[in-house]
């Protein structure tokens, strides 16, 4: 199995490192536009192999997509972080251009690859990659739900003083502030979380999760990378090993939950063909209202991208 990670920054390098350390693929190719950057990161990861004990080969290249040919899975982490004074539209325009260019190269050399998008703004970058690739939605989707649920589960484990291994949870909707928490589907060792924690404390944890990325930016002055990189690697593992894991991922909904043509996080079965099935939960009225709010927010950003594309046509 061959996996390519585009973007050798913190998230991409972490993803490649986890893929190698866990021996998820035979070869991991790291690509970056900065001369020597991916080569250095890949070499560093490869030199760690004798220490940790793994044999996945890591290779770095500068903007040479021919080296990525015939990849089974491609993870796209490319893009710029939002900088002070940069508007949302500026960020969308810049990163959409990057994701479009990368996707064109990916499809050219690996037409059968499954594409996982990590670039931000996540939902609309998944839309851009899907448009550019022309691939079915089952093969182009975004990583956000696993990261959001990981944060949620980590906060719950801390509050309850239990192992995060025993916490299962589902979140839906857009990535970030408009995500849709589903406490009804959150369990701790099979026990509904609502039996173990009060509503006020649970609501506070949900709110902390929604702004989880912002909390880290305030602390470090930059975006997170360990958890996002590992989350992307977990999705790759589910595909490469055909694990049929149930994960929340960003996908174009096509009638599920009464929504069409909008990219939102929803629970799916992830296996060798990419998304094997979209799982449709029976949401209550409050949950449906939150999902509709999230849908409206994501659609607004998608429309902004469409308008930019028309203006530049």
């Amino acid at each position: 199995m061959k996996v390519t990670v585009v973007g050798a920054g913190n998230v991409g390098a972490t993803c490649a490192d986890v893929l190698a350390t866990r021996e998820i693929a035979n070869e991991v190719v790291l690509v970056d536009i900065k001369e020597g950057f991916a080569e250095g990161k890949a070499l560093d990861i490869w030199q760690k192999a004798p220490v940790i004990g793994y044999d996945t080969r890591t290779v770095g290249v500068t903007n040479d997509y021919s080296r990525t040919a015939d990849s089974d899975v491609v993870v796209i982490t490319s893009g710029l972080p939002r900088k002070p004074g940069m508007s949302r539209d500026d960020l969308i325009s810049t990163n959409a251009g990057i994701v479009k260019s990368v996707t064109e190269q990916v499809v050219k050399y690996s037409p059968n690859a499954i594409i996982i998008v990590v670039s931000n703004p996540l939902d609309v970058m998944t839309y851009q990659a899907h448009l550019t690739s022309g691939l079915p939605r089952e093969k182009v989707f975004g990583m956000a739900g696993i990261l959001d649920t990981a944060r949620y589960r980590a906060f719950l484990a801390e509050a309850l003083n239990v192992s995060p291994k025993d916490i299962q949870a589902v979140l839906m909707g857009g990535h970030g502030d408009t995500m849709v928490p589903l406490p009804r589907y959150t369990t701790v060792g099979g026990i509904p979380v609502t039996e173990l924690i009060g509503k006020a404390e649970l609501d506070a944890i949900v709110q902390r999760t929604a702004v989880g990325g912002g909390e880290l930016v305030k602390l470090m002055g930059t975006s997170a990378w360990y958890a996002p990189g590992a989350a992307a690697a977990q999705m790759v593992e589910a595909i490469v090993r055909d694990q049929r894991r149930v994960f929340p991922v960003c996908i174009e909904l096509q009638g599920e939950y009464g929504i069409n043509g909008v990219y939102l996080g929803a629970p799916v079965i992830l296996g060798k063909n990419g998304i094997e099935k979209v799982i449709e939960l029976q949401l209550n009225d409050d949950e449906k209202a939150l999902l509709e709010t999230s849908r409206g927010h994501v659609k607004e950003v998608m429309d902004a991208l469409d308008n930019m594309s028309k203006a530049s046509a």
Side-chain angles (χ1 to χ4, degrees):
M1 281 288 182
K2 181 176 181 178
V3 176
T4 288
V5 180
V6 184
N10 288 332
V11 175
T14 298
C15 179
D17 184 48
V18 173
L19 290 170
T21 304
R22 292 177 59 82
E23 296 184 316
I24 291 167
N26 303 91
E27 181 181 19
V28 176
V29 180
L30 198 55
V31 184
D32 202 273
I33 196 169
K34 184 178 178 182
E35 187 71 39
F37 195 56
E39 290 88 337
K41 292 283 186 80
L43 182 58
D44 195 14
I45 294 170
W46 176 238
Q47 290 173 353
K48 182 164 64 74
V51 180
I52 304 298
Y54 55 84
D55 52 28
T56 293
R57 188 72 172 91
T58 51
V59 177
V61 294
T62 301
N63 232 21
D64 179 10
Y65 284 85
S66 65
R67 189 63 184 78
T68 73
D70 301 318
S71 293
D72 296 282
V73 184
V74 176
V75 181
I76 300 176
T77 72
S78 310
L80 300 177
R82 187 164 174 174
K83 299 173 183 176
M86 179 183 276
S87 72
R88 183 199 64 176
D89 285 359
D90 288 339
L91 180 66
I92 293 169
S93 177
T94 301
N95 283 352
I98 293 170
V99 170
K100 182 176 186 291
S101 175
V102 167
T103 305
E104 288 170 347
Q105 294 297 311
V106 167
V107 174
K108 177 180 176 181
Y109 289 101
S110 301
N112 298 314
I114 291 168
I115 299 174
I116 299 172
V117 180
V118 184
S119 307
N120 276 317
L122 188 282
D123 309 293
V124 75
M125 291 305 109
T126 303
Y127 173 41
Q128 178 66 74
H130 192 189
L131 281 177
T132 304
S133 69
L135 295 170
R137 67 170 181 164
E138 291 80 9
K139 298 190 74 174
V140 185
F141 40 88
M143 187 292 295
I146 293 177
L147 173 60
D148 288 334
T149 54
R151 288 170 173 161
Y152 179 46
R153 291 161 63 198
F155 298 152
L156 281 172
E158 193 175 13
L160 296 170
N161 197 22
V162 300
S163 169
K165 295 177 183 177
D166 290 330
I167 300 176
Q168 293 295 320
V170 178
L171 295 172
M172 290 185 62
H175 179 44
D177 296 359
T178 63
M179 70 171 203
V180 180
L182 299 173
R184 289 194 303 124
Y185 293 99
T186 303
T187 60
V188 183
I191 303 166
V193 71
T194 49
E195 293 187 18
L196 301 173
I197 193 169
K199 185 179 185 304
E201 191 174 4
L202 183 57
D203 287 347
I205 288 172
V206 167
Q207 180 55 32
R208 186 183 179 191
T209 303
V211 296
E215 179 181 359
L216 289 164
V217 170
K218 286 179 182 177
L219 290 168
M220 303 188 295
T222 186
S223 300
W225 63 87
Y226 292 125
Q234 188 175 54
M235 291 177 72
V236 174
E237 182 177 24
I239 294 164
V240 169
R241 295 181 174 163
D242 193 24
Q243 293 176 329
R244 299 185 68 84
R245 297 288 304 273
V246 176
F247 288 140
V249 308
C250 177
I251 182 174
E252 180 193 26
L253 295 179
Q254 296 178 351
E256 297 89 359
Y257 301 96
I259 295 171
N260 266 298
V262 178
Y263 292 72
L264 289 171
V268 306
I269 297 173
L270 203 57
K272 66 180 180 181
N273 299 308
I275 291 177
E276 307 282 355
K277 180 182 179 181
V278 178
I279 298 171
E280 195 161 2
L281 304 174
Q282 298 302 309
L283 303 182
N284 61 33
D285 290 344
D286 289 343
E287 293 160 348
K288 287 177 182 176
L290 289 172
L291 188 61
E292 174 56 26
T293 298
S294 191
R295 183 207 65 78
H297 174 79
V298 172
K299 185 64 167 66
E300 181 183 316
V301 185
M302 288 173 60
D303 288 345
L305 177 62
D306 288 340
N307 291 333
M308 290 174 201
S309 299
K310 291 174 184 174
S312 61

